[in-house]
Amino acid sequence: MIDPPNQDTKTPEPLVDVDSPESFDLSHVVPSRPAIVFSSPRAFARSFSRRWKSIWTRRFTLALFSGQVVALCITCTNVTTTELVNRNWALPTTQTFFLYFSIFMIYTPYTLYQYGLKGWGKMVLRDGWKYFILAAFDVEGNFLVVKAYQYTDLLSCMLLDAWAIPVCMFVSWVYMRPRYHWTQILGVIICIAGLGLLVASDELTDKDWTALNRAKGDGFMIAGATLYGLSNATEEFFVRKRPLYEVVGQLGMWGTLINGVQAAGLEHGAMKLASWNRMTIGILVAYTSAMFILYTVAPMLYRLASSTYYNLSLLTSDFWGLLFGLFLYVRLIVTYVLH
């Protein structure tokens, strides 16, 4: 049930969360797992079965599902961005402007409803500079990664984009001092190794293209991945202390400001030359919708698991992209045969 708006417009205390992040943050509670018995094969099988069933808690299931939702959203954004470029619409900063504006228009009014105008204003004056830095990380990370694809090859982009994972882990450790279990470290290594195998398979099957300026593109990608890691870990730090709608609303407000100024300065000429039609607008709506879902689910995933888990979940977008590619390829073949 939604709490009624604060009638006295008093600014909430910095560590009091309206939507109770403590209900998600159970890091202080370490659930006991059934021990695995190695005395006999039968005992091992039974104990392993009990251990496996104990993992599938409601929290773990929600985190797993949310991780795949954001991975699917990333796949959708990759597909829609490719379609926009193929239709002579390559405005990366303008493209993300609609995202920040949409989350600003949805979440900021709700924050005003909860805090009141006076309380919202005090929050902006007190914490606005923090959210401005978060938005700058996010906007420039998106910009640099998109620019990197124009200079370096796909394999370098895929490999260097994984740099966001160790950056996110390190920044999370600086902010919140989490204790990583050796199995978590092993999981990160396996995920990155799997990505490396994917890159190697593309290289062996000659699916890559020549880089225009590999050094410049790789520099853009490393910088963008670093900003991604900073942005994810910083947002996790905020949403564990503040309401989700406040953090996302402020990200949208400052992101709209930064992104709008940057788009006006860098892409005002290209906006006139871009192809604006019904199909382009429809693809933009699909891209913005997918990113809106991602930016809504991501903070919940930060509470259910962590920003590191979020970045690891995004690696599965390659699998969903493969399925989408196979479906699209089969559909094109069927269309060609029928005609």
Side-chain angles (χ1 to χ4, degrees), residues 7-271:
Q7 299 298 333
D8 59 0
T9 67
K10 185 177 180 180
T11 306
E13 294 297 326
L15 296 181
V16 177
D17 194 337
V18 177
D19 56 351
S20 302
E22 293 81 4
S23 61
F24 289 86
D25 187 11
L26 300 179
S27 57
H28 60 286
V29 179
V30 181
S32 59
R33 302 294 184 193
I36 298 180
V37 181
F38 297 92
S39 59
S40 67
R42 185 175 182 181
F44 172 78
R46 290 182 175 179
S47 61
F48 182 82
S49 176
R50 289 193 298 267
R51 183 68 172 266
W52 174 255
K53 292 178 181 178
S54 69
I55 295 175
W56 292 90
T57 62
R58 178 175 178 269
R59 183 188 184 89
F60 176 78
T61 304
L62 286 175
L64 184 64
F65 175 76
S66 300
Q68 295 312 299
V69 169
V70 297
L72 280 170
C73 289
I74 284 293
T75 303
C76 291
T77 60
N78 291 338
V79 172
T80 51
T81 300
T82 302
E83 290 296 319
L84 286 172
V85 173
N86 292 338
R87 287 172 169 78
N88 192 32
W89 204 99
L91 303 172
T93 307
T94 304
Q95 183 176 333
T96 54
F97 172 81
F98 299 106
L99 160 68
Y100 293 110
F101 183 73
S102 63
I103 60 178
F104 164 67
M105 291 300 296
I106 296 297
Y107 288 100
T108 297
Y110 185 75
T111 308
L112 285 166
Y113 170 78
Q114 288 289 341
Y115 291 171
L117 182 60
K118 186 177 179 180
W120 180 83
K122 288 183 177 180
M123 179 271 296
V124 172
L125 291 175
R126 185 189 66 233
D127 298 327
W129 65 274
K130 303 176 185 178
Y131 293 124
F132 179 85
I133 294 174
L134 171 64
F137 286 158
D138 200 71
V139 171
E140 300 308 325
N142 286 328
F143 174 75
L144 288 172
V145 167
V146 173
K147 290 292 290 183
Y149 280 91
Q150 300 177 12
Y151 294 99
T152 190
D153 53 76
L154 179 61
L155 300 184
S156 295
C157 287
M158 292 175 62
L159 191 59
L160 294 175
D161 191 37
W163 172 247
I165 297 174
V167 171
C168 185
M169 292 182 69
F170 175 75
V171 178
S172 296
W173 179 81
V174 171
Y175 284 157
M176 295 165 283
R177 292 293 193 275
R179 291 176 296 178
Y180 296 113
H181 194 266
W182 69 268
T183 55
Q184 294 173 311
I185 303 295
L186 178 62
V188 172
I189 295 174
I190 292 175
C191 288
I192 296 179
L195 183 62
L197 291 175
L198 180 63
V199 172
S201 68
D202 282 346
E203 179 68 25
L204 293 175
T205 54
D206 195 22
K207 296 179 181 177
D208 200 20
W209 57 76
T210 305
L212 180 64
N213 189 331
R214 185 183 298 273
K216 188 175 182 179
D218 289 355
F220 280 154
M221 180 57 72
I222 292 174
T226 301
L227 290 175
Y228 273 161
L230 283 167
S231 174
N232 297 152
T234 302
E235 187 175 4
E236 179 191 356
F237 179 72
F238 288 160
V239 299
R240 289 187 180 275
K241 295 179 177 295
R242 303 300 304 158
L244 296 179
Y245 51 80
E246 176 189 314
V247 178
V248 180
Q250 285 294 288
L251 175 61
M253 185 180 78
W254 295 111
T256 300
L257 177 63
I258 297 171
N259 198 282
V261 172
Q262 185 166 308
L266 299 179
E267 299 176 355
H268 63 279
M271 291 180 189

